Amino acid sequence: QVQLVESGGGLVQPGGSLRLSCATSRSILSFRSMAWYRRAPGKQRDLVALITDTGSTNYQDSVKGRFTISREVTKNTVWLQMNSLKPEDTAVYYCNAVELDWATQYWGQGTQVSVSS
């Protein structure tokens, strides 16, 4: 059973920064992709950022230039650096991993990010 454990959420003022981490119980290179999603109150869960096994990245338009997804293979960890945070970034953020065959995916428990003055 794959485990994804997120950490790093919290309350921050607009314009501030947070870094989320997702630690896996398996080598991150054994997944086709790893990603961060978020669910804002009353909304569906949306893709925020994704990194593939080859290191390619993709971002939701609203976070481009502000968020950066990266990985540390030796630590089996994926990071989401979030800068210039806005109130509309407030959401529960979830780590996601997809198997090499694209058929199975896993989710973390989620971490709350709140942006407010």
Side-chain angles (χ1 to χ4, degrees):
Q1 180 70 19
V2 173
Q3 291 186 322
L4 306 177
V5 180
E6 302 109 330
S7 62
L11 173 65
V12 64
Q13 292 186 340
S17 298
L18 283 174
R19 187 173 74 159
L20 306 182
S21 65
C22 173
T24 73
S25 58
R26 216 172 78 191
S27 170
I28 59 176
L29 294 182
S30 68
F31 299 110
R32 178 67 65 196
S33 69
M34 293 198 68
W36 288 95
Y37 286 72
R38 67 186 179 188
R39 189 196 304 270
K43 296 186 177 181
Q44 66 182 18
R45 185 159 53 186
D46 291 328
L47 176 67
V48 176
L50 177 147
I51 185 165
T52 70
D53 53 343
T54 61
S56 297
T57 59
N58 190 32
Y59 297 91
Q60 181 186 110
D61 285 346
S62 68
V63 307
K64 286 180 179 177
R66 300 189 298 123
F67 291 11
T68 302
I69 189 169
S70 61
R71 63 187 182 184
E72 179 59 61
V73 174
T74 60
K75 296 182 178 179
N76 291 337
T77 299
V78 174
W79 312 96
L80 184 67
Q81 177 67 42
M82 305 185 294
N83 299 327
S84 302
L85 282 161
K86 304 175 181 181
E88 52 263 42
D89 295 318
T90 294
V92 178
Y93 284 70
Y94 297 90
C95 182
N96 169 273
V98 177
E99 291 283 13
L100 293 176
D101 63 2
W102 295 106
T104 304
Q105 62 180 336
Y106 309 97
W107 295 94
Q109 80 285 357
T111 185
Q112 176 70 47
V113 171
S114 298
V115 185
S116 174
S117 55

